[in-house]
Amino acid sequence: MEKNNTFEIGLLMAGAVSAGAYTAGVVDYLFEALQHYEKVRDKFSREHPGETLHNVQIRVISGASAGGMTGAILLSSMMDETYQPMSGYNPSVITRSDIDRNIFYRCWVDATEGIDIRYLLDNDDISGKRPLKSLLNCRRIDSIADAALSHPRKLQRHDYIPERIDLFMSVFNLAGVPYSVGFQQSSEKYGMVNHSDMMHFVLDTNSGASFNSNEIPLDEDTSSILSGNWKILRQTTLATGAFPLALEPRYVPKNPESYSEWKWWIPQTDSTDICDNDGRCFALKKITPAWTNQDDSARYFLCVDGGVANNEPLEIARRTLAGKDRFNPRDKNEAHRAIIMVDPFPSEPEKDWQTGDINLVQLFSYLFGSLKEQARFKPDELEAAANPEIFSRFMIAPSRKGAPKGHEIASASLGAFGGFLSEKFREHDFQLGRKNCQRFLMKHFAIGIDNDLVKRNADWFRQNGSVIKRGEEEFVQVIPMVDLPDNRITQKIIPIPYDSITMQMDELNEIMKLIEKRIKKVIKKSYLIEKLIDDITKNIKPSPLKWFSRKVSNAGKKLIAGYICSKASDYIRNVIEKDLVKRRLL
């Protein structure tokens, strides 16, 4: 009965870089609302013996880049008895205890234990003969992942947490998965490589649960040690957020056989398959990869940011949520499952057309930016989320009164890296995420009042302010926002004033000093300069000459590094100042 009386959520979190602070705020408030509704349901059952309100559960989690990292944190919070939402969050009165109990805030906002530019610019990762793998120091990110997952992991028994949770994280597989397609009357085959990869983790507490080769099972573990598949989850969490060049790519183990379980929508002529209004038919079909020298052991694939090719992995979340039905009912009175898409950057500000000559650096910048935007171009998915007649797909995006398009969150600055510059920026975005989520749950996340999940208690919903009117139609909040005597879930969330988070020039000067030091270290460690020095000195036999040559080469390296550093830091400072001033953040 409880399963049939449950509204299931698939939570999709798009790539966000530093705007993960916004996504974290959204998820934190969603958790708070679900915890509160569990108390509302208990109160209702006590007052109405034998009756119950519908349940709401987060059944599927899917994400890319920062969204994928937040997805892993979300699963972790479901298994952490110490987790508490930032109820009534106010940065001026927040305590260390509040931060320690909230994994979202601790990872995405807190400058002491979470992500911050000062740690990304530290040089303790550049030492010895270890090769340079990223422009930024990733050691703090490693420690954040360890802290987020290394605690007693026991799935908490709450109404809003199901017995089985599917977690998807997209990664960009640099090696790729090979496929070949044959043609009629020809022995030749057309080869293709798919780099858009996905890791599928499953936590299932049902006894006797089985898993296919594409599913990576996670078990409950009361220790704080990461072992087995929890180590793979850690590596995947780091891989999905590994922004190319800026952050270190990661090796992720995966059995080649798992790709044989993947299904693709393939056009069909068989009229028994599901057809659209034009009579075109599609069916989900498996395609076996064209591996060479395949064995049964796991391979290690080098992966980077999942947002490179699949910034919003919606389809896999939607399909998993639908299960055997393949599609989720869309009608207001039939919907009982829905995808909620959290996207800090649903649209880019209108771009200026480039005219005239451009140099090679500009061309690379435009090309990389265009590839990123192309990965986000999914008008069919966004249109469905914005369609008021579709009740199986919703979207939460930044909204701030008076903000120009694309300037709603502070983390949008500097190509979404701006949030790393200041804890104040991340505090603002976290709180805005909580505020936007509250409004979404109160005003938009609803189903028809004649839906089987809610119609038998329609009068109760009306009496308790959970009914939304749109013209003559009535809708019921999927998560009824009903106040309790000791807890007002509808209490207005006060955003942090945007003009109060402005960065001071001395703060920027401090960061620029760190940037300059990092640039010098990176240049000195760069492969080209090291190779040049090695080529010069390797054939010198007498030790005194070799020593002298090395000294001269090192001096030359310092001069080169100093020159490049000066030019690069001037350019970087100009870019930072220009963008922060434009966004009224400096």
Side-chain angles (χ1 to χ4, degrees), residues 525-536:
K525 190 68 174 178
S526 68
Y527 171 77
L528 291 176
I529 294 179
E530 290 290 337
K531 187 175 187 304
L532 177 62
I533 293 174
D534 289 341
D535 288 344
I536 292 173

Side-chain angles (χ1 to χ4, degrees), residues 4-5 75 151 179 207 213 218 291 306 329 331 369 371 403 446 481 487 528:
N4 296 329
N5 193 39
L75 178 64
H151 59 79
Y179 293 88
S207 58
S213 61
L218 298 172
W291 297 111
D331 185 78
L371 290 173
M481 304 291 279
N487 192 338
L528 291 176

